[in-house]
Amino acid sequence: MSRLKLALVLLSALGAQALARADDGYRLWLRYDRLPATTLHAAYAAAARQVILVSASGADTAVDGAATDELCAGMKGLLGVETRVTRESGAAQPDLGDEGYTVSLSTRGGSPAFVVTANRDQGLLYGAFALLREIRLDRPESGFPLRSAPGIRRRILDHWDNLNRTVERGYAGASLWEWFVLPDYISPRYRDYARACASLGINGSVLTNVNADSLVLTPEWLRKVAAIAGALRPYGVRVYLSARFSSPLEIGGLKTADPLDPAVASWWRDKVSEIHALIPDFGGFLVKANSEGQPGPQSYGRSHADGANMLADALAPFGGIVMWRAFVYEADAKRDRCMQAYDEFMPLDGKFRPNVVLQIKNGPLDFQPREPFHPLFGAMPRTSLGLELQITQEYLGQGTHLAFLAPLWKETLDSDTYRPGPGSTVARVVEGSPGGNELSCIAGVANTGTDRDWTGHPLAQANWYAFGRLAWDPSVSSARIADEWVRLTLGSDPRVTEPVERMLLGSREAVVDYTGPLGLAGVFAEGHHYGPEPWLDQGRPDWTSVYYHRADQRGIGFDRTTSGSGALAQYSPEISRLWGDPATCPEDLLLWFHHADWGRTMASGRTLWDEFCLRYQSGVDAVRDWRRTWDSLKPLIDPETHDHVGALLAIQERDACWWRDASLLYFQTFSRRPLPPGVEAPAHDLAYYRSIRLRWMPGNPSGK
Ligand code: BDP
């Protein structure tokens, strides 16, 4: 062999080795590497030679090709089998709706086969992913047959992506959408994104920030949007856009955006038909109106219903919807900010068009590590109510802290509103009716970006996964979701699954402990929201921290009982009675609803102050414990991933200590009590922590 040839052979062998070893996280939870040869896998391999797709409607959309591609690639990779996918038509199964599926391990012509049934192609695609997932979960026994249908019809990712490719509250690089080169260049990443979404059942994507730019509605930009829509369509992901309410003024040449002005309504009608000509399956608009400086109908003396209905009328002929956000509040220091959305929207119940869904954040404030559920979920029976969650970790350590969010979201989904009666959980309210209304909707603010691993923190992929799984089925437990994600991403070795799942499942509570235990909220640094700033007392009152914690020499917490702001009255009588009495209010929400004395005796027998301090410490201890666990997993985890997560956990420990020390020193100026035994002495004095200023933080494009 010539020297050149030999060098080439050696080089390519080295390259192949590097590829096999380094895991850059790009494949997410969709890794189709060969499974070990077990009896169960041999049985799967035998069946995988033929997969039969049975649907009631015959091939009806563009998504069938995606199901076939996925099955062939998956079976080949996992089991080394060439799969023949065939189609049959079958009877309609009303309980499966448009998207549900069954998957069974069966026989055809005397040979084993997998059979996927659905009413429509979208269901077959979800069935194909479920089939591959079940094989990959690598459980000791087959979980087949599978049967599943979603309760919530619109399962959407909201991207807070700007047209200059910065991402508001994005911690994983730039925006996925390469606007400048669109529509000429269609990045293969769009397809990979859509495929990841479809693997979880996510069927919609709002491409643009709620703090919207009307430019995206101009013809040039709509052609770019249409190109992205074309890339997502084969995976059943529909495109939606955020709509800036003042667009008729900014790009339409009109003198007003008053929703009751006929010229305005007609401008929007024309705009929507223009969009539909380019994107026939366009989903509709997401609107943030009269909130945090965004324009809206109230600028013209009109109500939120007037604004939403005008847009809804423009979209209705094309089957589009309006997702109107309930995240509104004014700079009114006299009115509890957490009560304002209810006060604004509750009187409008029954006044919205049938294609409007009111999109409500999980809690009444703003995606804090812990909040009670939003009272609007129990207050508007004649309106479609959608749930908005935040996958990106704005208030939970952003791109550097481990915080698995399924337990946070489950807390909201499982909360009983007691309206109209017991058992009316938020999940049920959002579903609307068994099987879901056409308009039932759940949205997650995405944590994706151009980072190679999509989410910046390798373990934050679990949050994208968890959102999709809960959107499809809110009844799945956090433990089950964690188990699935770890197996699909890091493998099924119990020496890995057990400790990593423990880390994931305890992480949200640890973040609550070191940022704001016992129902404390709103104590984050101004602007970027990364670190602590409980002393913030300047500027707009409802954007300060002192507004929320109300610490004084007597105690701490926001009194929302009848002697305080009265916010508890927005909940059902059952809840306001339970939470209104500090003796029966869950301790995790105590400071949300009550101003409690520092010396108050807690369930543990300790004083509130001691308990409060020990919670911060326990948050720090948890992170230290994960670091030890993670170090011990070094031989079992891909080296690149191990190093990356290890470094991030070190940052998290440093930050948890910072949160603990800064917060306790500050609150100690009110409590005037010593730190209890078991709480470490702060490393610096309060002046030091108060002087920390972080600039140009990710996710905060203004840099302040
Ligand atoms: C807050 C974010 C802000 C968003 C706003 C919203 O800090 O960037 O624009 O919510 O949801 O959480 O509109």
Side-chain angles (χ1 to χ4, degrees), residues 68-355:
T68 304
D69 291 352
E70 198 66 32
L71 287 165
C72 293
M75 298 305 189
K76 176 122 180 118
L78 295 171
L79 304 166
V81 166
E82 298 292 341
T83 297
R84 202 164 67 89
V85 179
T86 53
R87 293 206 55 137
E88 288 175 8
S89 57
Q93 305 177 73
D95 60 320
L96 292 183
D98 284 348
E99 299 178 302
Y101 57 80
T102 71
V103 182
S104 51
L105 191 50
S106 174
T107 51
R108 272 294 198 281
S111 310
F114 281 114
V115 180
V116 183
T117 76
N119 290 324
R120 301 181 69 89
D121 278 5
Q122 188 102 350
L124 291 177
L125 178 64
Y126 296 145
F129 277 112
L131 162 53
L132 292 165
R133 179 168 63 219
E134 188 54 36
I135 292 178
R136 288 207 50 224
L137 282 176
D138 202 11
R139 292 185 267 226
E141 281 171 34
S142 146
F144 299 109
L146 310 172
R147 184 181 190 90
S148 189
I152 302 173
R153 300 275 279 272
R154 302 199 187 230
R155 303 171 300 277
I156 297 178
L157 287 186
D158 287 358
H159 292 270
W160 285 359
D161 292 19
N162 298 314
L163 302 186
N164 63 5
R165 298 194 67 197
T166 56
V167 179
E168 178 150 347
R169 313 307 175 188
Y171 313 106
S175 165
L176 291 173
W177 322 127
E178 300 182 27
W179 293 112
F180 181 65
V181 289
L182 280 163
D184 305 292
Y185 174 63
I186 316 278
S187 164
R189 227 174 153 145
Y190 305 152
R191 174 187 170 276
D192 294 340
Y193 161 86
R195 183 174 156 250
C197 287
S199 74
L200 304 170
I202 293 169
N203 62 10
S205 179
V206 181
L207 302 183
T208 47
N209 191 355
V210 285
N211 298 319
D213 188 334
S214 38
L215 189 64
V216 78
L217 298 178
T218 59
E220 186 192 345
W221 285 76
L222 286 173
R223 280 195 293 278
K224 298 170 189 276
V225 174
I228 299 177
L232 309 191
R233 189 170 294 119
Y235 286 90
V237 179
R238 286 171 87 172
V239 157
Y240 300 73
L241 290 173
S242 54
R244 187 163 161 88
F245 204 77
S246 50
S247 297
L249 290 163
E250 289 156 9
I251 58 166
L254 301 191
K255 297 253 162 346
T256 176
D258 180 349
L260 299 192
D261 185 307
V264 170
S266 125
W267 186 86
W268 280 107
R269 273 198 306 276
D270 291 348
K271 185 49 71 184
V272 171
S273 38
E274 180 189 342
I275 298 175
H276 269 272
L278 290 164
I279 311 167
D281 53 357
F282 179 65
F285 293 134
L286 170 64
V287 188
K288 172 174 176 176
N290 295 117
S291 162
E292 299 184 333
Q294 294 299 307
Q298 292 180 329
S299 323
Y300 304 93
R302 313 297 184 194
S303 73
H304 283 282
D306 293 331
N309 291 343
M310 181 273 293
L311 292 176
D313 289 343
L315 286 155
F318 304 95
I321 68 163
V322 175
M323 296 171 284
W324 193 267
R325 296 178 87 229
F327 181 68
V328 303
Y329 60 99
E330 276 167 30
D332 174 2
K334 289 185 289 302
R335 198 92 184 100
D336 179 354
R337 169 172 160 187
C338 290
M339 299 173 71
Q340 295 181 23
Y342 178 102
D343 291 348
E344 189 72 50
F345 283 99
M346 196 274 286
L348 298 176
D349 189 25
K351 302 228 157 66
F352 291 97
R353 295 281 191 273
N355 59 332

Side-chain angles (χ1 to χ4, degrees), residues 4-35:
L4 179 67
K5 239 182 173 172
L6 180 69
L8 283 175
V9 169
L10 279 174
L11 264 180
S12 70
L14 277 174
Q17 206 187 1
L19 270 181
R21 195 178 41 100
D23 186 353
D24 60 14
Y26 188 81
R27 294 187 299 163
L28 296 160
W29 47 86
L30 295 168
R31 292 148 199 254
Y32 296 146
D33 299 330
R34 186 65 52 85
L35 292 169

Side-chain angles (χ1 to χ4, degrees), residues 530-669:
Y530 184 76
E533 201 173 333
W535 45 83
L536 178 65
D537 59 1
Q538 299 298 306
R540 206 177 130 163
D542 56 347
W543 286 354
T544 66
S545 300
V546 295
Y547 177 93
Y548 296 101
H549 65 67
R550 309 208 165 195
D552 56 23
Q553 292 191 6
R554 188 169 72 76
I556 180 172
F558 197 131
D559 183 357
R560 294 192 161 102
T561 67
T562 39
S563 56
S565 76
L568 264 162
Q570 296 182 339
Y571 291 93
S572 71
E574 290 88 340
I575 291 177
S576 55
R577 221 176 302 124
L578 192 74
W579 293 355
D581 179 350
T584 52
C585 178
E587 285 191 347
D588 283 338
L589 292 176
L590 185 68
L591 307 183
W592 187 283
F593 288 113
H594 299 276
H595 188 76
D597 289 357
W598 294 116
R600 175 188 172 76
T601 309
M602 304 294 285
S604 61
R606 300 186 193 102
T607 61
L608 168 65
W609 169 250
D610 285 1
E611 181 75 25
F612 186 70
C613 296
L614 285 161
R615 291 284 183 109
Y616 282 91
Q617 182 66 45
S618 111
V620 170
D621 293 344
V623 181
R624 288 196 181 133
D625 188 46
W626 308 335
R627 289 193 67 194
R628 280 189 294 273
T629 305
W630 191 257
D631 282 348
S632 73
L633 297 176
K634 193 172 172 69
L636 303 172
I637 290 190
D638 163 76
E640 220 170 272
T641 310
H642 192 270
D643 281 0
H644 191 182
V645 172
L648 294 173
L649 289 173
I651 294 177
Q652 187 167 8
E653 182 187 342
R654 180 200 67 197
D655 290 348
C657 292
W658 169 29
W659 268 98
R660 177 199 59 197
D661 296 348
S663 308
L664 293 183
L665 284 171
Y666 169 71
F667 289 119
Q668 200 174 31
T669 64

